[in-house]
Amino acid sequence: MAVSGLIMIAYLVAHVMGNLKVFFGPGEFNAYGHWLRTMGEPVLHHEWGLWIARVVLLTAVIAHGVSAYQLSRRDIRARPTAYVHKRRRAGYATRTMRWGGVIVALFIVWHILDLTTLTVNPNGQAGHPYENVVATFSTWYGNLIYIVAMLAVGLHIRHGFWSAAQTLGVGNATRDRVLKTLANVLALALTAGFVSVPVAVMIGVVS
């Protein structure tokens, strides 16, 4: 679970850096979209690099989901009867990890249908990623779905990054404060980066 989570975080860092190219105009953003399909050439054929990245990411998503289910079942088997007295010790992000994961999983399906296959994009144009982004965030529901999902991603990363560090043995009593601060900064930076795109379209900075 920790390894698959870190793979997805690495992908999100690269993804948000690519998304922010939208602020440099359609020429640069569309060129970035074209590069994604040609990366690795001439060693790799057209779009092979992109498909390798997709397969790795899909494998990580499936591994993460399966691990979450297995851990949940172990937790239930270990304590089939609920505690009589419940103490609210866990933070909000910890308590909502499962629901946050479901929201993110549903969003991934929507995101693919919206900006990859263009199935639900109202004015989708194949080969024009900049225009497709503007089209999606020109609708109220596109903005709502995206922003809610990104907030869920931020909460998930905030708790997940620190948990992964503990699982892999990186954390200890002296490093915990640094790791928690890093988790907070990473979650905030990624959330702000992703949310800035629909906000920019809404206020007309990107059009």
Side-chain angles (χ1 to χ4, degrees):
M1 184 132 190
V3 172
S4 61
L6 291 176
I7 289 172
M8 288 188 287
I9 289 176
Y11 165 77
L12 288 174
V13 171
H15 191 35
V16 77
M17 290 174 66
N19 281 10
L20 294 177
K21 287 182 177 290
V22 77
F23 290 100
F24 296 95
E28 184 151 348
F29 192 75
N30 287 338
Y32 165 68
H34 175 72
W35 173 81
L36 288 176
R37 285 158 175 76
T38 60
M39 63 179 175
E41 291 185 359
V43 176
L44 301 176
H45 288 287
H46 186 69
E47 291 196 355
W48 278 24
L50 181 60
W51 276 104
I52 290 171
R54 285 171 174 169
V55 169
V56 170
L57 184 61
L58 179 61
T59 302
V61 169
I62 293 173
H64 205 67
V66 170
S67 298
Y69 175 77
Q70 290 175 336
L71 289 173
S72 178
R73 298 305 299 172
R74 286 185 185 180
D75 186 36
I76 293 172
R77 285 198 300 269
R79 182 74 191 189
T81 304
Y83 289 103
V84 176
H85 301 288
K86 293 183 179 180
R87 295 179 61 188
R88 190 174 175 179
R89 294 179 296 178
Y92 181 79
T94 306
R95 297 194 305 274
T96 58
M97 281 295 282
R98 290 173 186 171
W99 281 112
V102 171
I103 291 171
V104 173
L106 292 174
F107 170 73
I108 290 172
V109 175
W110 166 268
H111 199 49
I112 291 171
L113 293 174
D114 184 26
L115 291 173
T116 301
T117 66
L118 306 178
T119 306
V120 298
N121 196 311
N123 298 299
Q125 305 174 55
H128 297 274
Y130 182 92
E131 290 75 9
N132 295 337
V133 167
V134 173
T136 238
F137 296 133
S138 295
T139 63
W140 67 267
Y141 57 85
N143 289 318
L144 180 63
I145 292 170
Y146 192 86
I147 291 173
V148 169
M150 291 307 102
L151 293 175
V153 166
L155 286 172
H156 211 74
I157 291 172
R158 181 175 178 268
H159 176 71
F161 180 83
W162 182 79
S163 295
Q166 303 304 307
T167 300
L168 298 175
V170 177
N172 58 37
T174 56
R175 296 195 195 114
D176 275 359
R177 186 185 298 273
V178 174
L179 288 170
K180 286 182 178 180
T181 300
L182 183 58
N184 289 334
V185 170
L186 182 62
L188 181 61
L190 286 173
T191 303
F194 282 117
V195 170
S196 68
V197 178
V199 170
V201 175
M202 281 191 283
I203 63 178
V205 173
V206 173
S207 61

mmCIF file of all heavy atoms in Angstrom, residues 9-37 39 50 111 115 129-130 133 137 146 189-190 193-198 206:
data_model
loop_
_atom_site.group_PDB
_atom_site.id
_atom_site.type_symbol
_atom_site.label_atom_id
_atom_site.label_comp_id
_atom_site.label_asym_id
_atom_site.label_seq_id
_atom_site.Cartn_x
_atom_site.Cartn_y
_atom_site.Cartn_z
ATOM 1 N N ILE A 9 1.819 9.391 -5.809
ATOM 2 C CA ILE A 9 2.209 10.747 -5.415
ATOM 3 C C ILE A 9 3.244 11.299 -6.394
ATOM 4 O O ILE A 9 3.171 12.470 -6.805
ATOM 5 C CB ILE A 9 2.750 10.759 -3.970
ATOM 6 C CG1 ILE A 9 1.604 10.537 -2.973
ATOM 7 C CG2 ILE A 9 3.451 12.090 -3.667
ATOM 8 C CD1 ILE A 9 2.051 10.427 -1.533
ATOM 9 N N ALA A 10 4.208 10.464 -6.785
ATOM 10 C CA ALA A 10 5.211 10.896 -7.767
ATOM 11 C C ALA A 10 4.535 11.282 -9.077
ATOM 12 O O ALA A 10 4.894 12.285 -9.714
ATOM 13 C CB ALA A 10 6.229 9.782 -8.000
ATOM 14 N N TYR A 11 3.530 10.496 -9.479
ATOM 15 C CA TYR A 11 2.778 10.821 -10.691
ATOM 16 C C TYR A 11 2.048 12.161 -10.536
ATOM 17 O O TYR A 11 2.045 12.982 -11.458
ATOM 18 C CB TYR A 11 1.764 9.721 -10.987
ATOM 19 C CG TYR A 11 0.716 10.145 -11.982
ATOM 20 C CD1 TYR A 11 0.994 10.209 -13.347
ATOM 21 C CD2 TYR A 11 -0.566 10.520 -11.558
ATOM 22 C CE1 TYR A 11 0.037 10.623 -14.261
ATOM 23 C CE2 TYR A 11 -1.520 10.936 -12.465
ATOM 24 C CZ TYR A 11 -1.212 10.986 -13.808
ATOM 25 O OH TYR A 11 -2.163 11.413 -14.700
ATOM 26 N N LEU A 12 1.448 12.394 -9.382
ATOM 27 C CA LEU A 12 0.711 13.647 -9.157
ATOM 28 C C LEU A 12 1.632 14.858 -9.220
ATOM 29 O O LEU A 12 1.245 15.910 -9.736
ATOM 30 C CB LEU A 12 -0.007 13.596 -7.805
ATOM 31 C CG LEU A 12 -1.217 12.662 -7.722
ATOM 32 C CD1 LEU A 12 -1.737 12.597 -6.295
ATOM 33 C CD2 LEU A 12 -2.322 13.116 -8.667
ATOM 34 N N VAL A 13 2.845 14.717 -8.693
ATOM 35 C CA VAL A 13 3.812 15.822 -8.760
ATOM 36 C C VAL A 13 4.130 16.151 -10.219
ATOM 37 O O VAL A 13 4.127 17.322 -10.623
ATOM 38 C CB VAL A 13 5.105 15.466 -7.981
ATOM 39 C CG1 VAL A 13 6.184 16.505 -8.232
ATOM 40 C CG2 VAL A 13 4.809 15.362 -6.482
ATOM 41 N N ALA A 14 4.395 15.116 -11.019
ATOM 42 C CA ALA A 14 4.681 15.341 -12.439
ATOM 43 C C ALA A 14 3.454 15.885 -13.164
ATOM 44 O O ALA A 14 3.560 16.777 -14.014
ATOM 45 C CB ALA A 14 5.135 14.023 -13.081
ATOM 46 N N HIS A 15 2.284 15.372 -12.795
ATOM 47 C CA HIS A 15 1.038 15.774 -13.443
ATOM 48 C C HIS A 15 0.709 17.243 -13.185
ATOM 49 O O HIS A 15 0.301 17.970 -14.089
ATOM 50 C CB HIS A 15 -0.093 14.878 -12.952
ATOM 51 C CG HIS A 15 -1.363 15.016 -13.734
ATOM 52 N ND1 HIS A 15 -1.398 15.246 -15.089
ATOM 53 C CD2 HIS A 15 -2.669 14.950 -13.346
ATOM 54 C CE1 HIS A 15 -2.655 15.320 -15.507
ATOM 55 N NE2 HIS A 15 -3.443 15.147 -14.462
ATOM 56 N N VAL A 16 0.877 17.679 -11.938
ATOM 57 C CA VAL A 16 0.551 19.075 -11.630
ATOM 58 C C VAL A 16 1.525 20.026 -12.315
ATOM 59 O O VAL A 16 1.142 21.124 -12.744
ATOM 60 C CB VAL A 16 0.515 19.317 -10.103
ATOM 61 C CG1 VAL A 16 1.915 19.418 -9.500
ATOM 62 C CG2 VAL A 16 -0.279 20.583 -9.775
ATOM 63 N N MET A 17 2.785 19.612 -12.453
ATOM 64 C CA MET A 17 3.756 20.446 -13.162
ATOM 65 C C MET A 17 3.349 20.606 -14.630
ATOM 66 O O MET A 17 3.457 21.696 -15.200
ATOM 67 C CB MET A 17 5.151 19.826 -13.049
ATOM 68 C CG MET A 17 5.726 19.897 -11.652
ATOM 69 S SD MET A 17 7.293 18.996 -11.494
ATOM 70 C CE MET A 17 8.352 19.980 -12.553
ATOM 71 N N GLY A 18 2.846 19.527 -15.217
ATOM 72 C CA GLY A 18 2.359 19.612 -16.589
ATOM 73 C C GLY A 18 1.115 20.473 -16.690
ATOM 74 O O GLY A 18 0.971 21.279 -17.611
ATOM 75 N N ASN A 19 0.198 20.312 -15.729
ATOM 76 C CA ASN A 19 -1.039 21.100 -15.742
ATOM 77 C C ASN A 19 -0.784 22.596 -15.675
ATOM 78 O O ASN A 19 -1.485 23.391 -16.307
ATOM 79 C CB ASN A 19 -1.931 20.700 -14.561
ATOM 80 C CG ASN A 19 -2.680 19.409 -14.813
ATOM 81 O OD1 ASN A 19 -2.419 18.705 -15.784
ATOM 82 N ND2 ASN A 19 -3.615 19.092 -13.936
ATOM 83 N N LEU A 20 0.228 22.995 -14.915
ATOM 84 C CA LEU A 20 0.506 24.413 -14.733
ATOM 85 C C LEU A 20 1.023 25.077 -16.004
ATOM 86 O O LEU A 20 1.056 26.304 -16.101
ATOM 87 C CB LEU A 20 1.501 24.613 -13.579
ATOM 88 C CG LEU A 20 0.960 24.227 -12.190
ATOM 89 C CD1 LEU A 20 2.030 24.386 -11.124
ATOM 90 C CD2 LEU A 20 -0.268 25.063 -11.831
ATOM 91 N N LYS A 21 1.388 24.279 -16.999
ATOM 92 C CA LYS A 21 1.788 24.838 -18.291
ATOM 93 C C LYS A 21 0.621 25.531 -18.989
ATOM 94 O O LYS A 21 0.815 26.290 -19.928
ATOM 95 C CB LYS A 21 2.374 23.743 -19.191
ATOM 96 C CG LYS A 21 3.762 23.277 -18.773
ATOM 97 C CD LYS A 21 4.293 22.239 -19.735
ATOM 98 C CE LYS A 21 5.715 21.833 -19.368
ATOM 99 N NZ LYS A 21 6.675 22.930 -19.621
ATOM 100 N N VAL A 22 -0.600 25.270 -18.521
ATOM 101 C CA VAL A 22 -1.770 25.914 -19.113
ATOM 102 C C VAL A 22 -1.699 27.430 -18.965
ATOM 103 O O VAL A 22 -2.264 28.172 -19.777
ATOM 104 C CB VAL A 22 -3.066 25.348 -18.477
ATOM 105 C CG1 VAL A 22 -3.299 25.927 -17.097
ATOM 106 C CG2 VAL A 22 -4.270 25.589 -19.378
ATOM 107 N N PHE A 23 -0.959 27.900 -17.946
ATOM 108 C CA PHE A 23 -0.836 29.342 -17.711
ATOM 109 C C PHE A 23 0.089 30.019 -18.723
ATOM 110 O O PHE A 23 0.137 31.241 -18.792
ATOM 111 C CB PHE A 23 -0.336 29.612 -16.288
ATOM 112 C CG PHE A 23 -1.346 29.285 -15.225
ATOM 113 C CD1 PHE A 23 -1.270 28.099 -14.516
ATOM 114 C CD2 PHE A 23 -2.382 30.161 -14.948
ATOM 115 C CE1 PHE A 23 -2.216 27.793 -13.542
ATOM 116 C CE2 PHE A 23 -3.323 29.874 -13.974
ATOM 117 C CZ PHE A 23 -3.246 28.681 -13.271
ATOM 118 N N PHE A 24 0.813 29.222 -19.513
ATOM 119 C CA PHE A 24 1.713 29.781 -20.524
ATOM 120 C C PHE A 24 1.076 29.819 -21.906
ATOM 121 O O PHE A 24 1.747 30.113 -22.895
ATOM 122 C CB PHE A 24 3.019 28.980 -20.556
ATOM 123 C CG PHE A 24 3.805 29.069 -19.279
ATOM 124 C CD1 PHE A 24 3.679 28.087 -18.299
ATOM 125 C CD2 PHE A 24 4.654 30.144 -19.048
ATOM 126 C CE1 PHE A 24 4.402 28.172 -17.114
ATOM 127 C CE2 PHE A 24 5.371 30.233 -17.863
ATOM 128 C CZ PHE A 24 5.244 29.254 -16.891
ATOM 129 N N GLY A 25 -0.213 29.493 -21.956
ATOM 130 C CA GLY A 25 -0.935 29.628 -23.212
ATOM 131 C C GLY A 25 -1.140 28.323 -23.950
ATOM 132 O O GLY A 25 -0.517 27.305 -23.637
ATOM 133 N N PRO A 26 -2.016 28.356 -24.964
ATOM 134 C CA PRO A 26 -2.352 27.127 -25.699
ATOM 135 C C PRO A 26 -1.179 26.507 -26.439
ATOM 136 O O PRO A 26 -1.093 25.282 -26.543
ATOM 137 C CB PRO A 26 -3.440 27.587 -26.678
ATOM 138 C CG PRO A 26 -3.289 29.071 -26.766
ATOM 139 C CD PRO A 26 -2.786 29.515 -25.433
ATOM 140 N N GLY A 27 -0.282 27.327 -26.967
ATOM 141 C CA GLY A 27 0.845 26.790 -27.720
ATOM 142 C C GLY A 27 1.700 25.870 -26.865
ATOM 143 O O GLY A 27 2.007 24.735 -27.274
ATOM 144 N N GLU A 28 2.085 26.340 -25.685
ATOM 145 C CA GLU A 28 2.963 25.538 -24.821
ATOM 146 C C GLU A 28 2.225 24.345 -24.228
ATOM 147 O O GLU A 28 2.785 23.243 -24.135
ATOM 148 C CB GLU A 28 3.544 26.411 -23.708
ATOM 149 C CG GLU A 28 4.544 25.670 -22.835
ATOM 150 C CD GLU A 28 5.596 26.582 -22.229
ATOM 151 O OE1 GLU A 28 5.708 27.747 -22.650
ATOM 152 O OE2 GLU A 28 6.313 26.113 -21.331
ATOM 153 N N PHE A 29 0.968 24.535 -23.837
ATOM 154 C CA PHE A 29 0.222 23.428 -23.232
ATOM 155 C C PHE A 29 -0.058 22.332 -24.260
ATOM 156 O O PHE A 29 0.066 21.140 -23.966
ATOM 157 C CB PHE A 29 -1.091 23.931 -22.631
ATOM 158 C CG PHE A 29 -1.773 22.919 -21.755
ATOM 159 C CD1 PHE A 29 -1.286 22.647 -20.481
ATOM 160 C CD2 PHE A 29 -2.904 22.239 -22.190
ATOM 161 C CE1 PHE A 29 -1.911 21.710 -19.663
ATOM 162 C CE2 PHE A 29 -3.532 21.302 -21.394
ATOM 163 C CZ PHE A 29 -3.040 21.039 -20.119
ATOM 164 N N ASN A 30 -0.441 22.723 -25.472
ATOM 165 C CA ASN A 30 -0.692 21.732 -26.521
ATOM 166 C C ASN A 30 0.591 21.026 -26.937
ATOM 167 O O ASN A 30 0.579 19.833 -27.269
ATOM 168 C CB ASN A 30 -1.342 22.391 -27.734
ATOM 169 C CG ASN A 30 -2.794 22.770 -27.471
ATOM 170 O OD1 ASN A 30 -3.436 22.222 -26.587
ATOM 171 N ND2 ASN A 30 -3.314 23.725 -28.227
ATOM 172 N N ALA A 31 1.717 21.759 -26.904
ATOM 173 C CA ALA A 31 3.008 21.133 -27.216
ATOM 174 C C ALA A 31 3.356 20.094 -26.152
ATOM 175 O O ALA A 31 3.903 19.026 -26.459
ATOM 176 C CB ALA A 31 4.096 22.201 -27.300
ATOM 177 N N TYR A 32 3.027 20.399 -24.892
ATOM 178 C CA TYR A 32 3.248 19.446 -23.808
ATOM 179 C C TYR A 32 2.398 18.191 -24.012
ATOM 180 O O TYR A 32 2.872 17.059 -23.846
ATOM 181 C CB TYR A 32 2.912 20.099 -22.468
ATOM 182 C CG TYR A 32 2.749 19.137 -21.322
ATOM 183 C CD1 TYR A 32 3.833 18.422 -20.819
ATOM 184 C CD2 TYR A 32 1.495 18.938 -20.734
ATOM 185 C CE1 TYR A 32 3.684 17.533 -19.767
ATOM 186 C CE2 TYR A 32 1.337 18.059 -19.680
ATOM 187 C CZ TYR A 32 2.426 17.357 -19.199
ATOM 188 O OH TYR A 32 2.276 16.474 -18.160
ATOM 189 N N GLY A 33 1.129 18.387 -24.409
ATOM 190 C CA GLY A 33 0.254 17.253 -24.693
ATOM 191 C C GLY A 33 0.795 16.399 -25.829
ATOM 192 O O GLY A 33 0.718 15.163 -25.792
ATOM 193 N N HIS A 34 1.372 17.053 -26.847
ATOM 194 C CA HIS A 34 1.975 16.317 -27.967
ATOM 195 C C HIS A 34 3.213 15.552 -27.509
ATOM 196 O O HIS A 34 3.428 14.407 -27.906
ATOM 197 C CB HIS A 34 2.340 17.297 -29.079
ATOM 198 C CG HIS A 34 3.067 16.660 -30.233
ATOM 199 N ND1 HIS A 34 2.435 15.811 -31.133
ATOM 200 C CD2 HIS A 34 4.376 16.717 -30.618
ATOM 201 C CE1 HIS A 34 3.315 15.388 -32.012
ATOM 202 N NE2 HIS A 34 4.499 15.920 -31.734
ATOM 203 N N TRP A 35 4.018 16.174 -26.642
ATOM 204 C CA TRP A 35 5.235 15.519 -26.142
ATOM 205 C C TRP A 35 4.908 14.247 -25.369
ATOM 206 O O TRP A 35 5.638 13.251 -25.465
ATOM 207 C CB TRP A 35 6.008 16.477 -25.243
ATOM 208 C CG TRP A 35 7.164 15.808 -24.565
ATOM 209 C CD1 TRP A 35 8.394 15.548 -25.084
ATOM 210 C CD2 TRP A 35 7.177 15.266 -23.219
ATOM 211 N NE1 TRP A 35 9.181 14.887 -24.158
ATOM 212 C CE2 TRP A 35 8.460 14.711 -23.016
ATOM 213 C CE3 TRP A 35 6.245 15.229 -22.198
ATOM 214 C CZ2 TRP A 35 8.816 14.111 -21.812
ATOM 215 C CZ3 TRP A 35 6.587 14.618 -20.998
ATOM 216 C CH2 TRP A 35 7.873 14.065 -20.816
ATOM 217 N N LEU A 36 3.801 14.255 -24.613
ATOM 218 C CA LEU A 36 3.410 13.056 -23.865
ATOM 219 C C LEU A 36 3.232 11.857 -24.789
ATOM 220 O O LEU A 36 3.492 10.717 -24.406
ATOM 221 C CB LEU A 36 2.106 13.315 -23.105
ATOM 222 C CG LEU A 36 2.190 14.234 -21.883
ATOM 223 C CD1 LEU A 36 0.798 14.470 -21.305
ATOM 224 C CD2 LEU A 36 3.120 13.674 -20.819
ATOM 225 N N ARG A 37 2.807 12.111 -26.023
ATOM 226 C CA ARG A 37 2.564 11.032 -26.967
ATOM 227 C C ARG A 37 3.811 10.641 -27.753
ATOM 228 O O ARG A 37 3.826 9.604 -28.406
ATOM 229 C CB ARG A 37 1.432 11.434 -27.923
ATOM 230 C CG ARG A 37 0.071 11.358 -27.260
ATOM 231 C CD ARG A 37 -0.990 12.194 -27.922
ATOM 232 N NE ARG A 37 -2.278 11.961 -27.270
ATOM 233 C CZ ARG A 37 -2.608 12.462 -26.082
ATOM 234 N NH1 ARG A 37 -1.763 13.236 -25.415
ATOM 235 N NH2 ARG A 37 -3.790 12.190 -25.560
ATOM 236 N N MET A 39 7.068 10.986 -26.188
ATOM 237 C CA MET A 39 8.207 10.792 -25.288
ATOM 238 C C MET A 39 8.770 9.383 -25.456
ATOM 239 O O MET A 39 8.029 8.413 -25.599
ATOM 240 C CB MET A 39 7.807 11.048 -23.827
ATOM 241 C CG MET A 39 6.762 10.133 -23.261
ATOM 242 S SD MET A 39 6.418 10.556 -21.533
ATOM 243 C CE MET A 39 5.057 9.447 -21.175
ATOM 244 N N LEU A 50 3.777 6.803 -23.258
ATOM 245 C CA LEU A 50 2.550 7.182 -22.551
ATOM 246 C C LEU A 50 1.818 5.957 -22.036
ATOM 247 O O LEU A 50 1.329 5.942 -20.899
ATOM 248 C CB LEU A 50 1.653 7.994 -23.491
ATOM 249 C CG LEU A 50 0.322 8.492 -22.914
ATOM 250 C CD1 LEU A 50 0.560 9.398 -21.721
ATOM 251 C CD2 LEU A 50 -0.478 9.218 -23.995
ATOM 252 N N HIS A 111 -12.457 11.624 -14.944
ATOM 253 C CA HIS A 111 -11.359 12.383 -15.548
ATOM 254 C C HIS A 111 -10.937 11.782 -16.889
ATOM 255 O O HIS A 111 -10.670 12.506 -17.849
ATOM 256 C CB HIS A 111 -10.181 12.402 -14.578
ATOM 257 C CG HIS A 111 -9.182 13.485 -14.858
ATOM 258 N ND1 HIS A 111 -9.522 14.793 -15.068
ATOM 259 C CD2 HIS A 111 -7.823 13.444 -14.954
ATOM 260 C CE1 HIS A 111 -8.443 15.517 -15.281
ATOM 261 N NE2 HIS A 111 -7.388 14.712 -15.227
ATOM 262 N N LEU A 115 -11.265 14.115 -20.159
ATOM 263 C CA LEU A 115 -10.119 14.718 -20.851
ATOM 264 C C LEU A 115 -9.248 13.735 -21.636
ATOM 265 O O LEU A 115 -8.314 14.169 -22.306
ATOM 266 C CB LEU A 115 -9.259 15.487 -19.843
ATOM 267 C CG LEU A 115 -9.914 16.751 -19.279
ATOM 268 C CD1 LEU A 115 -9.072 17.357 -18.170
ATOM 269 C CD2 LEU A 115 -10.163 17.775 -20.378
ATOM 270 N N PRO A 129 -5.609 19.712 -26.267
ATOM 271 C CA PRO A 129 -5.774 19.610 -24.814
ATOM 272 C C PRO A 129 -6.096 20.933 -24.125
ATOM 273 O O PRO A 129 -6.878 20.968 -23.179
ATOM 274 C CB PRO A 129 -4.422 19.051 -24.341
ATOM 275 C CG PRO A 129 -3.480 19.255 -25.477
ATOM 276 C CD PRO A 129 -4.296 19.221 -26.711
ATOM 277 N N TYR A 130 -5.498 22.050 -24.576
ATOM 278 C CA TYR A 130 -5.767 23.346 -23.949
ATOM 279 C C TYR A 130 -7.248 23.687 -24.070
ATOM 280 O O TYR A 130 -7.900 24.050 -23.084
ATOM 281 C CB TYR A 130 -4.915 24.433 -24.608
ATOM 282 C CG TYR A 130 -5.098 25.809 -24.001
ATOM 283 C CD1 TYR A 130 -4.263 26.244 -22.964
ATOM 284 C CD2 TYR A 130 -6.078 26.683 -24.472
ATOM 285 C CE1 TYR A 130 -4.419 27.500 -22.415
ATOM 286 C CE2 TYR A 130 -6.240 27.950 -23.920
ATOM 287 C CZ TYR A 130 -5.404 28.350 -22.904
ATOM 288 O OH TYR A 130 -5.567 29.609 -22.351
ATOM 289 N N VAL A 133 -9.417 21.544 -21.796
ATOM 290 C CA VAL A 133 -9.373 21.967 -20.395
ATOM 291 C C VAL A 133 -10.301 23.163 -20.180
ATOM 292 O O VAL A 133 -11.074 23.217 -19.212
ATOM 293 C CB VAL A 133 -7.928 22.316 -19.975
ATOM 294 C CG1 VAL A 133 -7.913 23.064 -18.644
ATOM 295 C CG2 VAL A 133 -7.085 21.048 -19.866
ATOM 296 N N PHE A 137 -13.761 23.228 -17.742
ATOM 297 C CA PHE A 137 -13.895 24.120 -16.596
ATOM 298 C C PHE A 137 -14.744 25.350 -16.889
ATOM 299 O O PHE A 137 -14.809 26.278 -16.083
ATOM 300 C CB PHE A 137 -12.506 24.516 -16.084
ATOM 301 C CG PHE A 137 -11.730 23.345 -15.550
ATOM 302 C CD1 PHE A 137 -10.405 23.143 -15.917
ATOM 303 C CD2 PHE A 137 -12.321 22.433 -14.696
ATOM 304 C CE1 PHE A 137 -9.691 22.056 -15.437
ATOM 305 C CE2 PHE A 137 -11.621 21.340 -14.217
ATOM 306 C CZ PHE A 137 -10.298 21.152 -14.583
ATOM 307 N N TYR A 146 -14.177 18.442 -10.078
ATOM 308 C CA TYR A 146 -12.723 18.506 -10.035
ATOM 309 C C TYR A 146 -12.230 19.039 -8.686
ATOM 310 O O TYR A 146 -11.315 18.469 -8.075
ATOM 311 C CB TYR A 146 -12.216 19.389 -11.171
ATOM 312 C CG TYR A 146 -10.727 19.306 -11.411
ATOM 313 C CD1 TYR A 146 -10.185 18.329 -12.234
ATOM 314 C CD2 TYR A 146 -9.853 20.212 -10.810
ATOM 315 C CE1 TYR A 146 -8.816 18.253 -12.465
ATOM 316 C CE2 TYR A 146 -8.489 20.151 -11.030
ATOM 317 C CZ TYR A 146 -7.982 19.168 -11.858
ATOM 318 O OH TYR A 146 -6.625 19.101 -12.070
ATOM 319 N N ALA A 189 0.474 21.993 -1.513
ATOM 320 C CA ALA A 189 1.028 22.432 -2.800
ATOM 321 C C ALA A 189 0.322 21.738 -3.966
ATOM 322 O O ALA A 189 -0.031 22.380 -4.963
ATOM 323 C CB ALA A 189 2.529 22.144 -2.841
ATOM 324 N N LEU A 190 0.101 20.433 -3.845
ATOM 325 C CA LEU A 190 -0.557 19.700 -4.922
ATOM 326 C C LEU A 190 -2.013 20.138 -5.076
ATOM 327 O O LEU A 190 -2.493 20.363 -6.194
ATOM 328 C CB LEU A 190 -0.498 18.198 -4.656
ATOM 329 C CG LEU A 190 0.861 17.531 -4.876
ATOM 330 C CD1 LEU A 190 0.836 16.077 -4.416
ATOM 331 C CD2 LEU A 190 1.273 17.604 -6.341
ATOM 332 N N GLY A 193 -2.084 23.604 -6.591
ATOM 333 C CA GLY A 193 -1.676 23.555 -7.987
ATOM 334 C C GLY A 193 -2.780 23.052 -8.889
ATOM 335 O O GLY A 193 -3.073 23.645 -9.934
ATOM 336 N N PHE A 194 -3.432 21.976 -8.484
ATOM 337 C CA PHE A 194 -4.509 21.418 -9.296
ATOM 338 C C PHE A 194 -5.728 22.339 -9.333
ATOM 339 O O PHE A 194 -6.316 22.569 -10.386
ATOM 340 C CB PHE A 194 -4.914 20.039 -8.770
ATOM 341 C CG PHE A 194 -3.979 18.934 -9.162
ATOM 342 C CD1 PHE A 194 -3.276 18.213 -8.205
ATOM 343 C CD2 PHE A 194 -3.794 18.605 -10.500
ATOM 344 C CE1 PHE A 194 -2.414 17.185 -8.564
ATOM 345 C CE2 PHE A 194 -2.934 17.569 -10.877
ATOM 346 C CZ PHE A 194 -2.237 16.864 -9.906
ATOM 347 N N VAL A 195 -6.110 22.878 -8.171
ATOM 348 C CA VAL A 195 -7.304 23.726 -8.096
ATOM 349 C C VAL A 195 -7.108 25.045 -8.832
ATOM 350 O O VAL A 195 -8.076 25.648 -9.311
ATOM 351 C CB VAL A 195 -7.690 23.963 -6.619
ATOM 352 C CG1 VAL A 195 -8.775 25.031 -6.489
ATOM 353 C CG2 VAL A 195 -8.172 22.659 -5.986
ATOM 354 N N SER A 196 -5.853 25.500 -8.944
ATOM 355 C CA SER A 196 -5.601 26.788 -9.597
ATOM 356 C C SER A 196 -6.052 26.803 -11.053
ATOM 357 O O SER A 196 -6.408 27.862 -11.587
ATOM 358 C CB SER A 196 -4.109 27.138 -9.517
ATOM 359 O OG SER A 196 -3.320 26.256 -10.315
ATOM 360 N N VAL A 197 -6.067 25.635 -11.705
ATOM 361 C CA VAL A 197 -6.446 25.582 -13.129
ATOM 362 C C VAL A 197 -7.935 25.876 -13.329
ATOM 363 O O VAL A 197 -8.284 26.776 -14.095
ATOM 364 C CB VAL A 197 -6.036 24.236 -13.753
ATOM 365 C CG1 VAL A 197 -6.488 24.182 -15.218
ATOM 366 C CG2 VAL A 197 -4.519 24.047 -13.660
ATOM 367 N N PRO A 198 -8.860 25.159 -12.666
ATOM 368 C CA PRO A 198 -10.269 25.512 -12.849
ATOM 369 C C PRO A 198 -10.611 26.922 -12.364
ATOM 370 O O PRO A 198 -11.427 27.613 -12.979
ATOM 371 C CB PRO A 198 -11.021 24.454 -12.019
ATOM 372 C CG PRO A 198 -10.023 23.886 -11.094
ATOM 373 C CD PRO A 198 -8.714 23.961 -11.812
ATOM 374 N N VAL A 206 -7.318 32.039 -17.708
ATOM 375 C CA VAL A 206 -7.091 31.071 -18.791
ATOM 376 C C VAL A 206 -8.381 30.998 -19.600
ATOM 377 O O VAL A 206 -9.455 30.736 -19.040
ATOM 378 C CB VAL A 206 -6.737 29.680 -18.225
ATOM 379 C CG1 VAL A 206 -6.684 28.647 -19.340
ATOM 380 C CG2 VAL A 206 -5.410 29.735 -17.486
#
